[in-house]
Amino acid sequence: MKKIFNFILLVLMLGYSTSCDQNFDELNTNRVAATSIDPAFQLNNATINSSPNSFGMLVYEMGIVQQIISPNSGVLTGANFNQDNRASTQDNWQKYYRNVIKNTKDIISRIEDDPTRSNLLQMTRIIQAYGFMVLTDSYGSIPYAEAGAGFSDQVFYPKYDTQESIYTDLIKELEEASAALNTSGRVETADILYAGNIAKWKKFGYSLLLRAGMRLSNANPTLAQQTVAKAFAGGVIISNSDNAVIVHDANYVNPAGNTLNATEAANFYMTEPFVNFLKSTNDPRLRAIAVRYVGAKSGSEQQPARQTFDPSLQIGMPMGNDNAGAVQVAANLGLASFYDFSQVDRRRVAKITAPGFMVTASQTNLLLAEARQRGWVTTGTAAEYFEAGVRAHMAQMALHDAASTIPDADIDAYITANPLTEATALQQINSQYWVSSLMNGPEAFANFRRSGFPALTANPFPGREVLFINRLTYPNSEISVNSENVNAAIAAQGTDDLETKVWWDK
């Protein structure tokens, strides 16, 4: 009887086991998980992460060009003291390689042979060129041809390319991609930048080509002139309606705005050179940009009840002070504390939903003003482009926040009082580019090095490592992981410090 029972039990167990195995694969397959992603959504991810501002850019680029500065050390050490801090110089590297280039390279490898996605391919090439331009302008020699090929080609230790060769290829990429965009092709309506509008994408591409050409004005004037002419002929952004801008919201916040509205709200201030430049010409943008919390003795006292937008009351923080120095200079000026200095208004221009401007009509018109002054374009006058650039940026302030809107009468008065003068044209044009690129740290830094304007005095901090910062240093992670290739780049380019110049910085 016992044997019969055991036999029955064995049969039941086998039957149960068999039934459990049936449809096992089907039961354990996630029927709702994505097996592929539309590359248009990948491009959106790359585009969002191209927004040209972040914590590291506050610490370095915006401080290098003396727009925004912090008197504090620790994680904020950088352009405030002209010292190396690789926890922050790595910011551009990680932001663009991890979130932009990785996506664009994957998209290109997936769709380069698909004629139905040709427009998406060209759009991707333009965004990729933008990302690489920021990277090479920041660091000089960088992984370029082999970058982002870890998944597609198993290249885990990419070689570095020289900036000169990178710019040659970027110009080719932008020229080809802009020309190849086709209004009769598929409209990529999922695109978050221009909703697939080919005319706007072409202007974006050619505007980047113009920027690339002007970047070479000292390094290779012949190629610069040729490139500028091609960009101008292609058609560039000259109206704010065509600006390449990331529209941030509660889900995709402005990176710099997020920093300035959180832990670092009371730690960054507008600089004395920037505030005084705007005050010296009664620039109406100062009211649109700045706020001062009069009498504030702490960050917690920086409340709307104390705020003033009055340009005459704005006071920029002098360069070259640590925390103790800022306390003393505030006392010398009769301020309650250094919390009493002016800031970029984090409730308007630097709010968490503030737009991130990649390429603007103001910047492009100002580049055209310089190109016309150099005789590289023959249509229009330098004065006309200059005026258009200034007007465009003043009008652009309203796109940050309605409370930053500048009345037309104030714009007209400023233009009349500050015309372009032949003897100082390049200085005027590029000083306006400096103002126009506020909150776009990489572009402000690049054009300042290229043009030499505005004529800033070196940061006087006693413990500075260099007189002027000319590039950002490579991340420690890159040096330790890809040491052979990064060391080869350093040997060819120069010491990996803040003083070594990039190729086009002549």
Side-chain angles (χ1 to χ4, degrees):
M1 184 70 179
K2 184 177 180 181
K3 291 182 179 180
I4 295 173
F5 175 79
N6 288 340
F7 178 76
I8 294 172
L9 181 61
L10 178 61
V11 170
L12 290 173
M13 290 177 65
L14 288 171
Y16 177 76
S17 173
T18 303
S19 66
C20 286
D21 286 341
Q22 289 178 349
N23 302 319
F24 181 82
D25 290 340
E26 183 178 349
L27 290 171
N28 285 276
T29 299
N30 187 341
R31 294 171 180 251
V32 297
T35 57
S36 65
I37 184 171
D38 189 322
F41 299 134
Q42 270 186 282
L43 179 59
N44 285 344
N45 190 8
T47 302
I48 289 170
N49 283 288
S50 296
S51 187
N53 48 62
S54 66
F55 171 76
M57 296 174 200
L58 284 167
V59 173
Y60 273 99
E61 288 97 322
M62 296 182 201
I64 294 169
V65 298
Q66 301 182 16
Q67 294 172 331
I68 300 174
I69 205 75
S70 173
N72 297 325
S73 57
V75 296
L76 302 186
T77 297
N80 49 358
F81 310 136
N82 274 25
Q83 294 176 355
D84 195 5
N85 171 13
R86 299 193 184 217
S88 292
T89 60
Q90 71 177 349
D91 190 64
N92 280 355
W93 192 278
Q94 294 182 348
K95 174 184 174 72
Y96 285 94
Y97 274 120
R98 292 180 180 181
N99 302 317
V100 180
I101 305 305
K102 184 175 75 171
N103 278 301
T104 57
K105 281 293 187 85
D106 184 55
I107 295 167
I108 290 170
S109 70
R110 291 174 58 195
I111 67 173
E112 59 186 342
D113 296 322
D114 182 356
T116 67
R117 307 305 292 272
S118 176
N119 279 336
L120 184 66
L121 175 64
Q122 313 315 326
M123 292 152 60
T124 303
R125 293 170 75 185
I126 291 170
I127 289 293
Q128 180 167 276
Y130 177 88
F132 273 129
M133 194 180 298
V134 172
L135 284 164
T136 189
D137 289 347
S138 297
Y139 301 97
S141 297
I142 56 168
Y144 180 74
E146 294 185 353
F151 178 76
S152 60
D153 301 314
Q154 288 72 59
V155 178
F156 304 118
Y157 306 104
K159 294 179 181 178
Y160 282 56
D161 296 274
T162 66
Q163 186 175 68
E164 182 175 9
S165 66
I166 291 169
Y167 258 89
T168 298
D169 197 66
L170 286 176
I171 288 169
K172 177 188 74 68
E173 282 290 290
L174 288 168
E175 186 178 351
E176 289 181 358
S178 301
L181 287 163
N182 188 351
T183 55
S184 64
R186 172 171 170 168
V187 178
E188 299 289 348
T189 54
D191 155 42
I192 62 166
L193 193 60
Y194 291 123
N197 186 309
I198 296 303
K200 291 179 182 288
W201 269 99
K202 278 182 172 287
K203 290 178 184 178
F204 177 31
Y206 283 119
S207 296
L208 279 178
L209 185 63
L210 172 67
R211 180 179 287 184
M214 293 302 295
R215 206 74 99 221
L216 307 186
S217 58
N218 298 318
N220 189 337
T222 300
L223 179 59
Q225 182 174 0
Q226 293 170 352
T227 304
V228 166
K230 290 177 181 177
F232 184 71
V236 295
I237 296 170
I238 56 173
S239 168
N240 281 335
S241 61
D242 295 326
N243 285 344
V245 55
I246 308 300
V247 180
H248 294 106
D249 59 22
N251 295 312
Y252 299 102
V253 300
N254 182 298
N258 191 46
T259 296
L260 294 175
N261 281 278
T263 56
E264 309 302 337
N267 290 330
F268 284 93
Y269 295 85
M270 293 181 71
T271 70
E272 182 179 62
F274 193 73
V275 170
N276 286 354
F277 178 83
L278 297 177
K279 290 177 77 170
S280 68
T281 56
N282 295 316
D283 195 316
R285 284 171 290 192
L286 185 56
R287 181 183 293 275
I289 293 168
V291 63
R292 180 177 161 222
Y293 299 98
V294 179
K297 298 183 180 66
S298 66
S300 61
E301 290 189 5
Q302 292 180 332
Q303 297 297 325
R306 294 181 178 272
Q307 72 185 15
T308 179
F309 305 134
D310 186 341
S312 67
L313 297 179
Q314 301 307 319
I315 303 174
M317 180 177 285
M319 295 293 299
N321 292 289
D322 58 11
N323 192 283
V327 169
Q328 185 59 55
V329 75
N332 293 343
L333 291 170
L335 303 182
S337 71
F338 72 69
Y339 297 100
D340 201 353
F341 282 111
S342 297
Q343 294 181 303
V344 171
D345 190 359
R346 59 182 179 269
R347 295 178 176 88
R348 293 183 298 161
V349 174
K351 62 185 180 182
I352 61 172
T353 57
F357 292 94
M358 301 163 70
V359 179
T360 67
S362 175
Q363 292 168 332
T364 301
N365 274 298
L366 291 169
L367 290 180
L368 289 176
E370 180 176 343
R372 183 67 183 90
Q373 186 71 20
R374 292 177 178 272
W376 292 355
V377 297
T378 57
T379 302
T381 67
E384 288 170 343
Y385 291 122
F386 177 76
E387 177 180 334
V390 175
R391 284 186 179 277
H393 188 245
M394 290 189 176
Q396 182 184 313
M397 298 310 303
L399 304 179
H400 289 277
D401 191 276
S404 289
T405 301
I406 300 175
D408 290 341
D410 291 350
I411 298 175
D412 291 339
Y414 180 86
I415 294 296
T416 300
N418 297 277
L420 187 66
T421 303
E422 179 70 23
T424 58
L426 292 182
Q427 179 176 351
Q428 286 180 267
I429 291 165
N430 286 289
S431 294
Q432 287 295 332
Y433 200 96
W434 176 55
V435 178
S436 177
S437 298
L438 177 68
M439 305 309 292
N440 184 338
E443 186 56 23
F445 181 34
N447 198 68
F448 166 66
R449 286 174 289 163
R450 177 195 70 84
S451 69
F453 296 115
L456 300 175
T457 301
N459 186 337
F461 185 72
R464 67 189 180 192
E465 295 175 5
V466 295
L467 194 64
F468 274 102
I469 295 175
N470 295 317
R471 64 178 285 275
L472 303 186
T473 51
Y474 295 124
N476 286 330
S477 57
E478 179 69 8
I479 294 171
S480 62
V481 172
N482 194 18
S483 57
E484 181 178 348
N485 289 316
V486 73
N487 285 333
I490 292 169
Q493 177 172 263
T495 307
D496 183 29
D497 61 21
L498 300 172
E499 190 170 26
T500 296
K501 292 185 176 183
V502 300
W503 166 74
W504 52 249
D505 186 6
K506 304 295 185 183

